[in-house]
Amino acid sequence: PVDQTTATITLGNVSASGFANYDSDAKKINEIDGWAEIGKDTSLGYGYVGWQHLHFPNQPFPDTEETYGGLATHFTGTPSVFIAHDEKLGSGTYWEGSVEANKEWKNGTNLKLKLIGAYNDDYYLEGSAPSHVGATATITLPASKNCSLEASIESIEGLREDVDSTTTLSTGVKWKW
């Protein structure tokens, strides 16, 4: 099991984030990431670009950097595309397309269902091919004006021998100051 923590500060269209991954069995932090992102809402959707630095303490991996970008459209089903490129450790490009549906109730509870398909071009894997498909269901419950509780389940089906099929359960707390 791992504990993952993310913190983000946003000012206008610019955000900076930090992430840490703690391995509960080894009792060590094995990944620390930082990234910066700028985004803009347009008539087509929300577009963004960013840069990320990944550091792997207590792991046999070198630091690496990624550039990424995406567009989440305002059309029905929110068709979206995400692209990430890593020149060093991952040495390739990852493409992901998705669609989603959201249902929000008057009390602020939100249910989001998302389907994805991914293509991997030498990004942490050898060769270029579709890598996986997946589905995620997330429920967000308001706890107060500035706090919400979130739970999700994600199922990934690997389409290649070197991509594992997984199911992940996640819970979290979000605060807005």
Side-chain angles (χ1 to χ4, degrees), residues 18-21 29-34 53-57:
F19 166 86
N21 189 83
I29 293 175
N30 59 18
E31 183 177 348
I32 301 170
D33 305 339
H53 179 84
L54 297 93
H55 175 64
F56 302 99

Side-chain angles (χ1 to χ4, degrees), residues 72-91:
T73 70
H74 292 312
F75 304 119
T76 302
T78 317
S80 302
V81 64
F82 171 78
I83 303 166
H85 182 73
D86 187 315
E87 288 284 345
K88 296 178 181 181
L89 185 60
S91 67

